[in-house]
Amino acid sequence: MYLENINGPKDIKKLKIEELKVLADETRAALINKISNAGGHNGPNLGMVEMTVALHYVFDSPKDKIVFDVSHQCYPHKILTGRKEAFLDSAHFGDVTGYTNPLESEHDIFTVGHTSTSVSLALGLAKGRDLQQAKGNVIAIIGDGSLSGGEALEGLDYAGEYNKNLIIIINDNDQSIAENHGGMYKTLKKLRETNGKSSNNLFKSFGLDYRYLDNGHDVSALVDLFRSVKDIDHPIGAW
Ligand SMILES: Cc1ncc(C[n+]2csc(CCOP(=O)(O)OP(=O)(O)O)c2C)c(N)n1
C-alpha cells in the first residue's frame, strides 16, 4: 500500500507515474470508506481523485497555492496532505471538516463554503505574491456549476488582463447540485463536444490562454497537462 507512507506532497513526488494510478485507487478507497460510513460529499470528491494526485505530484504545495471553489471537493487533498487517518479510521472520522480549513493544515489556504469564490481568491493571492516579489504558482479550481456565479465572472474578467502566473482549472463534469442554466452552458457543451476546439470559447473570450483535457481521470495525462502550465508567466484556463 502506497497511501500508508504518504504524509504530504513530498512523499507523492517519490512515486513513479505508474504508481500514481495505484495511489489514486487507494485514495478513492479511503474516500469511499469514509463517505459510505459517515456521509459527506460523494460526487465532487470522486471526480477529483486523479486530479488531486497529479496536482500534488507536479506542484509544490504549500509554496504553490491550490484554491478550491466551495471546497467540498477537497477530501482527496486532505487524504494526501497528512490527514488520511480521518478517512481510514472510523475513530478519527470527526478529526477533519468537510471543507478546507487553514487550522487543519498549511496546505489549506481558506475556510470557504460558498461557490464562485476561487478565481477571485486566487487572484488576490497572486497579487500578494507579486507585491512581495515572491515566486510560486497560484491554482484556482472551479466547477462548471460555480462558474456562472457573479464573483467567478468578475474574477475571470480581471484574470483576462492580469499578466502573471495564474492557473485556473475548470472542472466541467456537467454536474452541479441542480441543473445548470444560462447561455454559457451551451458554450461549455460545445467545448466538450469538440475536444476544446470550438471557436466559440468562453475562456479565450475573457482573454485567457487555454488548454483542454478530455479525460480528467487519466493521471498521466493530468501530470503532463500540469507540467505544461507549471510556472507559466500569464493566466491560463486548463479544462
Ligand atoms: C453562494 C452559494 N450558492 C449555492 C451554494 C450551494 N452549492 C454547493 S456546491 C454547488 C454547485 C457545485 O457545482 P460545481 O461548481 O459544478 O462543482 P462540482 O460539485 O460539480 O464539483 C452549489 C450551488 C453554495 N455553496 N454557495
Side-chain angles (χ1 to χ4, degrees), residues 6-226:
I6 302 293
N7 295 307
K10 283 193 181 71
D11 300 319
I12 304 174
K13 292 177 202 306
K14 291 176 195 157
L15 301 179
K16 301 192 179 74
I17 294 276
E18 328 62 275
E19 296 172 322
L20 295 182
K21 167 91 181 64
V22 183
L23 177 64
D25 290 343
E26 292 175 2
T27 303
R28 187 172 6 262
L31 178 62
I32 290 170
N33 179 54
K34 166 107 178 242
I35 54 188
S36 58
N37 285 297
H41 298 94
N42 308 331
N45 285 295
L46 288 167
M48 282 293 293
V49 172
E50 284 81 3
M51 195 205 287
T52 311
V53 169
L55 279 170
H56 283 301
Y57 192 64
V58 173
F59 293 103
D60 303 311
S61 174
K63 179 172 163 265
D64 292 334
K65 306 211 177 320
I66 304 173
V67 185
F68 293 90
D69 202 273
V70 189
S71 85
H72 64 321
Q73 73 287 60
C74 70
Y75 301 8
H77 165 80
K78 292 200 180 198
I79 293 170
L80 297 169
T81 54
R83 290 166 278 180
K84 59 181 181 293
E85 289 312 318
F87 295 80
L88 293 168
D89 180 354
S90 58
H92 289 280
F93 281 171
D95 289 1
V96 298
T97 68
Y99 299 88
T100 50
N101 184 347
L103 296 176
E104 279 177 23
S105 168
E106 61 180 346
H107 299 283
D108 291 13
I109 318 292
F110 294 105
T111 302
V112 69
H114 278 68
T115 60
S116 318
T117 51
S118 65
V119 180
S120 300
L121 289 171
L123 271 162
L125 289 174
K127 281 301 262 186
R129 173 200 60 200
D130 301 345
L131 287 168
Q132 292 172 332
Q133 298 183 338
K135 298 230 176 306
N137 293 268
V138 180
I139 304 127
I141 295 167
I142 184 162
D144 50 305
S146 305
L147 202 60
S148 55
E151 193 176 337
L153 295 172
E154 284 184 46
L156 287 176
D157 192 39
Y158 180 42
E161 69 165 20
Y162 177 62
N163 59 3
K164 298 262 167 34
N165 171 282
L166 176 73
I167 298 160
I168 304 169
I169 300 174
I170 299 110
N171 183 17
D172 180 10
N173 53 13
D174 195 22
Q175 299 275 330
S176 186
I177 267 186
E179 205 173 275
N180 286 324
H181 283 280
M184 73 158 58
Y185 294 103
K186 291 185 204 160
T187 314
L188 297 192
K189 184 164 182 277
K190 202 86 193 146
L191 280 169
R192 289 196 303 275
E193 287 169 354
T194 60
N195 243 340
K197 293 193 175 66
S198 168
S199 56
N200 190 2
N201 184 315
L202 181 69
F203 305 101
K204 289 189 178 170
S205 302
F206 272 108
L208 293 165
D209 194 359
Y210 175 78
R211 304 272 157 86
Y212 181 87
L213 178 68
D214 184 48
N215 183 355
H217 294 284
D218 181 338
V219 78
S220 160
L222 284 159
V223 166
D224 288 346
L225 174 68
F226 295 152

